[in-house]
Amino acid sequence: MNLNLTLIAQALAFALFIWFAVKFIWPPLTRAIEQRQKQIADGLAAGERGRRELEAAGKRAHEDLAKARERVGEIIGSAEKRDAQMLDEAKAAAKAEADRILTAAAADIDQQIARAKEMLREQVASLAVAGAEKILRREVDAQTHAELLKQLKREI
């Protein structure tokens, strides 16, 4: 065997293998590599978008939380204001009720005083009539008259 012929046959087989690999094997491999590269790039881009969206969501959550705290402060302020208003209204209603009760009690006391005075007048009048009756039935003498007046004073 000749070394040159073997070397040329091997070179020709190698060239045929390279042509076959470039024609049939290399294009599907490069397509697969490109698809994989595109898929990795898309995944990285999606990860970056997700990270940005997460940051944006975090900022929105902080803003919403700040707004909620502000709203809670407003609600507490209005509740305290309403509480003070209700307390003032209750005090005013209690004062009005107390004034009404005092006025009614004063009117009742005045009526009772008037009734008591009227009863005293009737009793004094009846005692005076009884005393006059007794004086007229007895003799009119100064000592008897003074005794009757003393007795009337004791009864009154």
Side-chain angles (χ1 to χ4, degrees):
M1 235 190 139
N2 192 355
L3 189 61
N4 283 339
L5 187 61
T6 306
L7 192 59
I8 290 174
Q10 284 180 353
L12 188 60
F14 186 69
L16 189 61
F17 175 73
I18 289 177
W19 173 81
F20 181 77
V22 167
K23 183 84 172 164
F24 296 106
I25 296 174
W26 194 258
L29 282 177
T30 56
R31 273 194 305 261
I33 290 171
E34 288 172 358
Q35 285 177 350
R36 182 70 179 143
Q37 285 175 343
K38 185 177 184 270
Q39 187 179 11
I40 290 171
D42 290 345
L44 289 173
E48 184 63 25
R49 278 193 311 272
R51 186 184 60 77
R52 282 187 298 228
E53 288 174 4
L54 180 62
E55 287 176 3
K59 287 179 184 177
R60 283 192 307 270
H62 285 296
E63 291 171 0
D64 290 346
L65 185 59
K67 287 179 184 176
R69 284 183 180 148
E70 183 179 320
R71 181 70 178 133
V72 165
E74 291 173 3
I75 290 172
I76 289 173
S78 67
E80 288 173 350
K81 191 183 294 183
R82 179 66 180 141
D83 181 43
Q85 182 183 5
M86 288 174 57
L87 186 61
D88 291 342
E89 289 173 0
K91 283 180 183 178
K95 182 162 176 40
E97 182 67 17
D99 290 345
R100 187 189 63 78
I101 290 172
L102 285 175
T103 304
D108 188 38
I109 289 171
D110 289 343
Q111 287 177 353
Q112 288 179 4
I113 288 172
R115 273 190 250 133
K117 284 181 181 179
E118 187 61 34
M119 287 173 54
L120 282 174
R121 280 190 195 120
E122 288 175 10
Q123 287 177 358
V124 168
S126 66
L127 286 175
V129 169
E133 231 178 78
K134 286 182 182 178
I135 289 174
L136 290 177
R137 282 190 189 156
R138 286 196 176 178
E139 313 172 2
V140 180
D141 119 343
Q143 187 179 3
T144 308
H145 186 4
E147 281 181 30
L148 285 175
L149 286 177
K150 282 181 187 177
Q151 185 182 1
L152 277 175
K153 284 182 186 176
R154 276 185 257 139
E155 287 180 11
I156 294 178

